[in-house]
């Protein structure tokens, strides 16, 4: 069981900000911005590049819910805004092998990222 599956199962505590049948959003334990939430599918897809055609609707659901969670957290307005990031593999910075979308907001975010 991955760390994030344990969070889904409530075996490890997390500050959950949104949940539905397909996904869960919770605060990152080591926030890199005033708002830093991880949005994960309940299906344990290891990383984005390993999603399959059958996951198409789930991937779309995650993006739609990322916008909804940004709205819930008060950062969706265009004069605020947010960034979504998905890390795949070592060079991408992935450390947990369960697909997750980082939602970062609450301060201006530099571009390009480091
Ligand atoms: P990655 O580096 O794989 O893209 O992102 C993994 C994220 O999971 C990191 O930002 C890290 O801080 C977060 N994280 C790792 N362990 C835990 C945990 O036990 N609880 C929570 N809420 N976040 C975690």
């Amino acid at each position: 069981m991955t760390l994030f599956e344990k969070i889904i199962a409530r075996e490890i505590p997390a500050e959950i900000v949104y949940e539905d049948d397909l996904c869960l959003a919770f605060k990152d334990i080591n926030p890199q911005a005033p708002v830093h939430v991880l949005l994960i599918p309940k299906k344990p897809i290891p990383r984005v590049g390993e999603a399959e055609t059958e996951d198409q609707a789930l991937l779309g659901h995650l993006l739609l819910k990322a916008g909804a969670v940004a709205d819930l957290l008060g950062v969706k307005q265009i004069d605020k805004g947010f960034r979504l990031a998905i890390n795949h593999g070592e060079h991408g910075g992935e450390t947990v092998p369960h697909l997750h979308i980082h939602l970062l907001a609450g301060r201006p975010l530099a571009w390009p990222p480091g």
Side-chain angles (χ1 to χ4, degrees):
M1 217 186 211
T2 66
L3 176 64
F4 289 170
E5 285 178 276
K6 290 181 182 166
I7 288 178
I8 293 166
R10 276 34 176 204
E11 288 176 19
I12 292 177
E15 278 192 70
I16 292 168
V17 297
Y18 175 79
E19 179 171 27
D20 64 27
D21 288 351
L22 298 175
C23 68
L24 184 74
F26 53 94
K27 293 185 183 177
D28 196 292
I29 204 167
N30 182 24
Q32 301 302 310
V35 173
H36 188 173
V37 163
L38 302 173
L39 179 61
I40 66 172
K42 290 186 173 174
K43 178 178 176 181
I45 298 167
R47 54 196 59 81
V48 68
E50 285 166 38
E52 314 247 14
T53 306
E54 67 182 29
D55 299 317
Q56 184 166 322
L58 176 58
L59 296 177
H61 183 80
L62 289 170
L63 280 183
L64 284 174
K65 293 306 169 184
V69 170
D71 199 13
L72 267 178
L73 299 174
V75 297
K76 199 178 102 170
Q77 307 94 299
I78 199 74
D79 61 335
K80 292 187 177 168
F82 59 93
R83 178 172 298 161
L84 303 180
I86 303 176
N87 299 330
H88 176 118
E90 276 191 44
H91 287 186
E94 173 200 320
T95 59
V96 178
H98 183 130
L99 173 60
H100 47 284
I101 300 176
H102 294 261
L103 191 164
L104 296 146
R107 65 170 170 80
L109 297 161
W111 190 264

